[in-house]
Amino acid sequence: AGRGGLLAALKSEGYSPLGCEPAEQLIELARRYYGLGEDILRCEDVDLFLKYTRAAGRPLDVVFLWHVIEHLSRPVDVLTQIVEQLGPEGLVLLQAPLLKSDNLFVEHYFLFTRHLVFRLAELCGVRVTYCQISADEQFITFAFCKQSSSHPVVDAP
Protein backbone atom coordinates (compact mmCIF):
# COMPACT_ATOMS: atom_id res chain seq x y z
CA ALA A 1 0.00 0.00 0.00
CA GLY A 2 3.01 2.29 0.05
CA ARG A 3 2.22 5.62 1.70
CA GLY A 4 -1.52 4.85 1.67
CA GLY A 5 -2.73 7.27 -1.01
CA LEU A 6 -4.87 4.75 -2.89
CA LEU A 7 -6.40 3.39 0.31
CA ALA A 8 -7.24 6.93 1.46
CA ALA A 9 -8.82 7.77 -1.92
CA LEU A 10 -10.90 4.59 -1.91
CA LYS A 11 -12.04 5.27 1.65
CA SER A 12 -13.05 8.85 0.76
CA GLU A 13 -15.18 7.49 -2.08
CA GLY A 14 -17.12 5.23 0.26
CA TYR A 15 -15.32 1.93 -0.28
CA SER A 16 -14.05 -0.33 2.52
CA PRO A 17 -10.40 -0.76 1.52
CA LEU A 18 -7.89 -2.97 3.25
CA GLY A 19 -4.20 -3.01 2.46
CA CYS A 20 -0.82 -4.11 3.68
CA GLU A 21 2.63 -2.57 3.65
CA PRO A 22 5.72 -4.25 5.13
CA ALA A 23 7.79 -1.03 5.43
CA GLU A 24 7.20 0.59 8.82
CA GLN A 25 8.42 3.98 7.53
CA LEU A 26 5.68 4.02 4.89
CA ILE A 27 3.07 2.88 7.42
CA GLU A 28 4.04 5.82 9.65
CA LEU A 29 3.56 8.24 6.73
CA ALA A 30 0.16 6.72 5.89
CA ARG A 31 -0.96 7.04 9.48
CA ARG A 32 0.32 10.63 9.78
CA TYR A 33 -0.92 12.04 6.46
CA TYR A 34 -4.08 10.02 5.89
CA GLY A 35 -5.01 8.85 9.38
CA LEU A 36 -5.18 5.24 8.22
CA GLY A 37 -5.60 2.88 11.17
CA GLU A 38 -4.89 -0.83 11.49
CA ASP A 39 -8.45 -1.51 10.28
CA ILE A 40 -7.46 -0.17 6.84
CA LEU A 41 -3.69 -0.56 6.62
CA ARG A 42 -1.88 -3.49 8.18
CA CYS A 43 1.89 -3.50 8.75
CA GLU A 44 2.72 -6.94 7.35
CA ASP A 45 3.98 -8.71 4.27
CA VAL A 46 1.69 -10.19 1.65
CA ASP A 47 1.84 -13.73 3.07
CA LEU A 48 0.55 -12.66 6.49
CA PHE A 49 -1.98 -10.35 4.86
CA LEU A 50 -3.43 -13.17 2.76
CA LYS A 51 -3.69 -15.38 5.86
CA TYR A 52 -5.60 -12.55 7.55
CA THR A 53 -7.99 -12.03 4.61
CA ARG A 54 -8.55 -15.79 4.28
CA ALA A 55 -9.42 -16.05 7.99
CA ALA A 56 -11.87 -13.13 7.60
CA GLY A 57 -13.78 -15.36 5.14
CA ARG A 58 -14.93 -12.51 2.93
CA PRO A 59 -14.21 -12.78 -0.81
CA LEU A 60 -11.93 -10.16 -2.33
CA ASP A 61 -13.57 -7.95 -4.95
CA VAL A 62 -10.57 -6.05 -6.33
CA VAL A 63 -6.90 -6.52 -5.51
CA PHE A 64 -4.35 -3.89 -6.58
CA LEU A 65 -0.74 -4.97 -7.05
CA TRP A 66 0.67 -1.69 -8.30
CA HIS A 67 4.43 -2.05 -8.66
CA VAL A 68 4.40 -5.01 -6.30
CA ILE A 69 4.62 -8.21 -8.33
CA GLU A 70 8.14 -7.51 -9.62
CA HIS A 71 9.30 -7.50 -5.98
CA LEU A 72 7.83 -10.92 -5.12
CA SER A 73 10.13 -13.91 -5.11
CA ARG A 74 7.11 -16.26 -5.57
CA PRO A 75 4.64 -14.36 -7.75
CA VAL A 76 2.76 -17.46 -8.95
CA ASP A 77 2.18 -18.64 -5.37
CA VAL A 78 0.99 -15.21 -4.23
CA LEU A 79 -1.30 -14.72 -7.24
CA THR A 80 -2.73 -18.21 -6.84
CA GLN A 81 -3.60 -17.44 -3.21
CA ILE A 82 -5.21 -14.16 -4.24
CA VAL A 83 -7.25 -15.83 -6.98
CA GLU A 84 -8.48 -18.45 -4.49
CA GLN A 85 -9.90 -15.60 -2.39
CA LEU A 86 -11.41 -13.62 -5.28
CA GLY A 87 -15.17 -13.36 -5.52
CA PRO A 88 -16.80 -14.70 -8.72
CA GLU A 89 -16.42 -11.38 -10.57
CA GLY A 90 -13.28 -10.25 -8.74
CA LEU A 91 -10.31 -8.64 -10.46
CA VAL A 92 -6.59 -8.41 -9.81
CA LEU A 93 -5.21 -5.15 -11.22
CA LEU A 94 -1.46 -4.96 -11.71
CA GLN A 95 1.18 -2.63 -13.04
CA ALA A 96 4.83 -3.63 -13.40
CA PRO A 97 7.98 -2.47 -15.18
CA LEU A 98 8.66 -3.70 -18.68
CA LEU A 99 11.76 -5.65 -19.57
CA LYS A 100 14.07 -2.72 -20.33
CA SER A 101 17.53 -1.78 -19.12
CA ASP A 102 16.06 1.36 -17.45
CA ASN A 103 14.10 -0.93 -15.11
CA LEU A 104 17.00 -3.09 -13.92
CA PHE A 105 17.16 -2.77 -10.14
CA VAL A 106 18.39 -5.31 -7.62
CA GLU A 107 14.99 -5.30 -5.87
CA HIS A 108 13.20 -6.36 -9.10
CA TYR A 109 13.01 -10.13 -9.31
CA PHE A 110 11.07 -9.95 -12.59
CA LEU A 111 10.55 -7.56 -15.48
CA PHE A 112 7.58 -8.06 -17.75
CA THR A 113 6.66 -8.47 -21.39
CA ARG A 114 3.21 -8.96 -22.84
CA HIS A 115 4.05 -12.62 -23.39
CA LEU A 116 5.06 -13.04 -19.74
CA VAL A 117 1.74 -11.55 -18.58
CA PHE A 118 -0.15 -14.24 -20.49
CA ARG A 119 2.22 -16.97 -19.28
CA LEU A 120 1.72 -15.83 -15.68
CA ALA A 121 -2.06 -15.94 -16.19
CA GLU A 122 -1.76 -19.48 -17.55
CA LEU A 123 0.33 -20.59 -14.56
CA CYS A 124 -2.19 -19.07 -12.13
CA GLY A 125 -5.27 -20.43 -13.92
CA VAL A 126 -6.74 -17.00 -14.69
CA ARG A 127 -7.69 -14.99 -17.76
CA VAL A 128 -6.23 -11.67 -18.88
CA THR A 129 -9.03 -9.12 -19.09
CA TYR A 130 -6.83 -6.05 -19.74
CA CYS A 131 -3.27 -5.57 -20.99
CA GLN A 132 -1.78 -2.20 -21.99
CA ILE A 133 1.79 -0.97 -22.39
CA SER A 134 2.33 2.64 -21.28
CA ALA A 135 2.96 5.33 -23.90
CA ASP A 136 6.55 5.74 -22.71
CA GLU A 137 6.99 1.93 -22.84
CA GLN A 138 8.24 1.72 -19.26
CA PHE A 139 5.32 -0.14 -17.68
CA ILE A 140 2.67 -2.71 -18.45
CA THR A 141 -0.75 -2.55 -16.82
CA PHE A 142 -2.86 -5.69 -16.78
CA ALA A 143 -5.83 -7.32 -15.07
CA PHE A 144 -6.64 -10.93 -14.25
CA CYS A 145 -10.00 -12.53 -13.52
CA LYS A 146 -11.16 -16.04 -12.74
CA GLN A 147 -11.78 -18.38 -15.64
CA SER A 148 -15.49 -18.44 -14.77
CA SER A 149 -15.95 -14.66 -14.65
CA SER A 150 -17.97 -12.75 -17.24
CA HIS A 151 -15.25 -10.13 -17.79
CA PRO A 152 -14.09 -9.75 -21.40
CA VAL A 153 -10.85 -11.45 -22.39
CA VAL A 154 -7.78 -10.07 -24.14
CA ASP A 155 -6.26 -12.18 -26.92
CA ALA A 156 -2.84 -13.64 -26.18
CA PRO A 157 0.15 -12.29 -28.11
Side-chain angles (χ1 to χ4, degrees):
R3 294 177 294 275
L6 177 59
L7 291 172
L10 290 167
K11 181 182 175 194
S12 73
E13 291 298 318
Y15 294 97
S16 300
L18 179 62
C20 70
E21 173 56 53
E24 290 183 19
Q25 312 90 305
L26 295 179
I27 292 283
E28 289 174 22
L29 290 173
R31 302 232 192 283
R32 184 176 338 137
Y33 292 114
Y34 299 114
L36 299 178
E38 181 76 13
D39 61 323
I40 293 176
L41 179 57
R42 300 177 58 83
C43 186
E44 58 195 10
D45 68 21
V46 69
D47 291 315
L48 287 174
F49 182 75
L50 289 172
K51 285 180 184 176
Y52 173 81
T53 57
R54 182 180 306 281
R58 203 178 97 208
L60 303 174
D61 297 320
V62 179
V63 176
F64 291 93
L65 295 175
W66 219 250
H67 293 268
V68 170
I69 195 163
E70 68 271 19
H71 299 280
L72 300 177
S73 60
R74 305 173 345 303
V76 173
D77 292 342
V78 170
L79 281 171
T80 300
Q81 289 179 59
I82 289 170
V83 170
E84 288 171 358
Q85 294 186 50
L86 274 182
E89 293 298 315
L91 286 171
V92 183
L93 304 171
L94 308 97
Q95 187 175 75
L98 283 168
L99 178 59
K100 295 186 76 167
S101 61
D102 296 353
N103 293 327
L104 294 175
F105 297 101
V106 68
E107 62 270 15
H108 288 168
Y109 291 101
F110 301 95
L111 296 173
F112 286 78
T113 64
R114 185 176 165 85
H115 179 76
L116 184 57
V117 166
F118 282 85
R119 179 67 179 131
L120 186 60
E122 182 182 326
L123 290 171
C124 296
V126 294
R127 297 183 302 132
V128 177
T129 187
Y130 180 85
C131 188
Q132 181 71 46
I133 293 175
S134 64
D136 63 2
E137 296 190 349
Q138 289 296 316
F139 306 108
I140 188 164
T141 305
F142 50 105
F144 293 150
C145 65
K146 288 186 169 189
Q147 291 288 350
S148 59
S149 113
S150 65
H151 293 288
V153 183
V154 176
D155 290 332

